[in-house]
Amino acid sequence: MRAKNLKNTFIISLIIAKIISKILKLTKLSGGTSIIGKIVLKLCPNFLMQTNKYINTKINITGTNGKTTTSGLISHLLKEDGNLIINNAMGANMIQGVVNALAVELNPFKKYDYSVIEADEAFLEVIYKNFEADYLVVTNLFRDQLDRYGELATTKRFIQNGIDLKPDIKLLLNADDPLVSSFNGKNKIFYGVENIEYNFDVKASESKTEEAHNCPCGKQLNYTKKFFAQQGHYYCDCGYKRPEPKYKADIKLYKEHSIIKINNETYDIPLVGLFNAYNALAAISLCKELNVKHIEDNLKTFKVAFGRSEIKYVKNKKILIQLIKNPIGANEVLKTINPDSNLLIIINDNYADGRDVSWLWDAEFEVINNIKREITVSGTRANDMALRLKYAGINPKQIKVIESIESAVNHVASSDTESITVLPTYTALLKLNKIL
């Protein structure tokens, strides 16, 4: 009798979720990425556990940067290969966001081949208490939202606690990140980069922001190659070293795309930047593990998630949107900035962004002090961003402060340039998505 009641509650919560989703789409009152999940969990607290039987293979992606793009790539390649999947495509990755995506997308009369769910590092353990898992992809670990996570040891512990709940899970780990490669698990598969070639001018960094990481023996790691932050080919005199990747990549970076050669197979990736090349490497590696077909052809039709190297057009102007949220991620994005474009930086300090914006002083904004055009700053911490740009060597006369995001977008869209680059934090991105 109890099992029947649980099933009835589950079905009722599904119906209500779909009704609310349609109302939100019609009224545009909310993006509907988490609010439905909150309601569903009130109605059916064990909702996540109930979904397990509808999905054959469950894939999760976690890490500081690249979760949404990596899960988007995996979802696209699986879908194009003829699989039925569920994905939290909008990037809401805390427990409410995960439940939200499942409640809106799941049809109880269908069986799904895969779920591709990105999970916030601090919520992986919470999700795994109720959700089965077959594969976990870990992208990287950088300092991010220190008010939520604290130092990297805390973030790593959150993820390891989740892994410990699923001892048979297959881990796909970034070999180049010593924090990621050292996760404990009995089924570990590594991917990594062998060589990188830049085919456009990249201004050298000024501050050399890094994430320090010592060998387990306590000594500082040595590097034969360092790509960015702590990622590279590392070793210690005690014998500890970067594990040998199963999937090895040679990367050629261009201004508007990347060429990745993985184990003698070549892929053209329609994404910019080394960070996206790493995301693509992770996604392709997992898909090779799953024997997904036609990867090279299907990559050509991939569309990025909103705000992740996304291109929109407003008033015949090309707008490139690149999410920034921590120093290392921002540094890699800043390397790709076109100095001839108008730049809009939108910094919010809401809970989902992280209240602490001191990270702005660790990001290497010095690399864009060659921009000659006006730089517009907006959001709740617009003045903090303006001050950071001044200290980065940018002429204060070039800096325009417009706290209202909508007014700032209208301002840059009315400029005389054909190209605009927008760098928003997460909640600013949600607002931007509504405006555009």
Side-chain angles (χ1 to χ4, degrees):
M1 186 71 177
R2 185 173 181 273
K4 186 177 180 181
N5 287 337
L6 286 173
K7 184 177 180 181
N8 288 340
T9 305
F10 174 71
I11 297 298
I12 289 168
S13 65
L14 273 180
I15 294 168
I16 291 173
K18 294 177 192 314
I19 291 170
I20 297 172
S21 177
K22 286 185 178 180
I23 292 171
L24 292 178
K25 283 181 180 177
L26 287 171
T27 61
K28 298 182 180 179
L29 291 173
S30 165
T33 57
S34 295
I35 189 170
I36 297 171
K38 291 179 182 178
I39 295 168
V40 166
L41 286 172
K42 286 283 186 184
L43 295 169
C44 183
N46 71 338
F47 179 89
L48 207 52
M49 189 179 296
Q50 296 275 346
T51 64
N52 283 311
K53 61 187 175 185
Y54 296 100
I55 305 162
N56 290 330
T57 303
K58 300 168 186 70
I59 300 163
N60 292 102
I61 301 91
T62 197
T64 309
N65 288 70
K67 295 185 289 291
T68 301
T69 300
T70 303
S71 66
L73 279 161
I74 293 167
S75 298
H76 175 75
L77 294 172
L78 288 172
K79 198 178 292 182
E80 292 299 304
D81 200 37
N83 296 290
L84 188 61
I85 71 157
I86 292 180
N87 171 228
N88 53 338
M90 297 299 286
N93 52 33
M94 298 181 192
I95 185 69
Q96 297 95 336
V98 172
V99 169
N100 199 116
L102 289 165
V104 171
E105 297 296 327
L106 192 143
N107 182 333
F109 302 106
K110 289 183 179 179
K111 189 82 170 180
Y112 293 80
D113 298 299
Y114 296 95
S115 61
V116 183
I117 303 294
E118 67 163 277
D120 180 279
E121 303 93 289
F123 279 84
L124 186 69
E125 181 181 5
V126 178
I127 292 166
Y128 277 2
K129 284 178 180 177
N130 294 290
F131 198 57
E132 296 305 318
D134 298 292
Y135 292 89
L136 175 65
V137 180
V138 187
T139 57
N140 46 59
L141 286 179
F142 305 132
R143 283 185 178 87
D144 184 58
Q145 298 188 33
L146 297 183
D147 52 324
R148 282 185 62 211
Y149 298 114
E151 287 298 321
L152 286 171
T154 304
T155 310
K156 184 174 181 182
R157 186 171 67 251
F158 286 145
I159 297 174
Q160 186 64 61
N161 289 344
I163 292 170
D164 290 344
L165 291 174
K166 307 293 179 185
D168 294 322
I169 195 170
K170 292 181 180 177
L171 302 174
L172 202 73
L173 305 175
N174 180 357
D176 298 344
D177 187 329
L179 287 163
V180 172
S181 67
S182 58
F183 276 115
N184 294 322
K186 65 181 183 181
N187 296 313
K188 299 201 286 187
I189 302 160
F190 296 100
Y191 64 90
V193 173
E194 297 299 299
N195 298 290
I196 297 170
E197 177 185 314
Y198 285 91
N199 288 278
F200 58 93
D201 292 333
V202 178
K203 187 177 178 184
S205 301
E206 299 290 341
S207 58
K208 307 289 185 186
T209 303
E210 296 183 354
E211 298 289 13
H213 179 61
N214 289 341
C215 175
C217 78
K219 294 180 182 177
Q220 187 172 348
L221 288 172
N222 302 303
Y223 283 81
T224 56
K225 294 179 182 179
K226 183 172 272 192
F227 302 131
F228 71 96
Q230 76 271 23
Q231 298 203 141
H233 296 190
Y234 48 86
Y235 69 95
C236 179
D237 295 336
C238 74
Y240 176 80
K241 63 180 181 179
R242 168 186 182 255
E244 188 71 13
K246 180 177 179 179
Y247 298 99
K248 303 177 182 181
D250 291 311
I251 297 173
K252 292 184 179 181
L253 298 167
Y254 298 86
K255 279 190 175 182
E256 296 188 348
H257 71 118
S258 303
I259 301 293
I260 305 180
K261 188 176 182 181
I262 304 173
N263 298 2
N264 296 316
E265 294 181 346
T266 302
Y267 305 91
D268 192 339
I269 312 299
L271 298 168
V272 299
L274 178 56
F275 54 98
N276 275 323
Y278 263 102
N279 296 336
L281 171 58
I284 293 168
S285 299
L286 177 67
C287 288
K288 295 296 285 184
E289 284 294 306
L290 298 172
N291 295 312
V292 176
K293 306 289 191 299
H294 311 298
I295 294 174
E296 184 180 355
D297 289 337
N298 291 330
L299 280 169
K300 296 171 185 175
T301 57
F302 173 68
K303 303 295 182 186
V304 295
F306 74 112
R308 279 75 172 184
S309 302
E310 180 187 22
I311 293 174
K312 287 183 176 285
Y313 289 88
V314 176
K315 296 181 181 178
N316 296 320
K317 290 182 172 63
K318 179 181 178 181
I319 300 180
L320 174 63
I321 306 169
Q322 299 264 50
L323 173 71
I324 58 171
K325 65 192 187 81
N326 56 46
I328 300 300
N331 290 348
E332 292 306 302
V333 167
L334 290 167
K335 289 178 184 178
T336 69
I337 299 296
N338 177 0
D340 296 320
S341 70
N342 264 26
L343 182 59
L344 169 60
I345 307 175
I346 313 174
I347 305 297
N348 278 354
D349 63 348
N350 298 314
Y351 176 74
D353 305 295
R355 303 287 190 188
D356 181 0
V357 296
S358 62
W359 66 269
L360 297 175
W361 294 89
D362 293 322
E364 299 166 17
F365 286 98
E366 287 76 8
V367 302
I368 60 168
N369 63 18
N370 62 333
I371 288 181
K372 305 303 179 187
R373 290 183 171 274
E374 180 182 81
I375 300 176
T376 304
V377 293
S378 184
T380 58
R381 301 304 286 266
N383 287 305
D384 297 74
M385 189 66 247
L387 182 65
R388 176 67 185 96
L389 293 177
K390 178 183 175 182
Y391 275 86
I394 293 165
N395 188 334
K397 293 180 180 179
Q398 284 180 251
I399 304 168
K400 180 82 171 178
V401 178
I402 305 176
E403 291 186 13
S404 163
I405 296 175
E406 189 165 1
S407 298
V409 170
N410 289 332
H411 175 73
V412 295
S414 300
S415 64
D416 60 356
T417 182
E418 293 181 0
S419 175
I420 299 167
T421 302
V422 185
L423 309 182
T425 56
Y426 182 70
T427 65
L429 177 60
L430 296 177
K431 175 73 172 177
L432 189 66
N433 196 50
K434 283 186 180 180
I435 294 168
L436 297 179

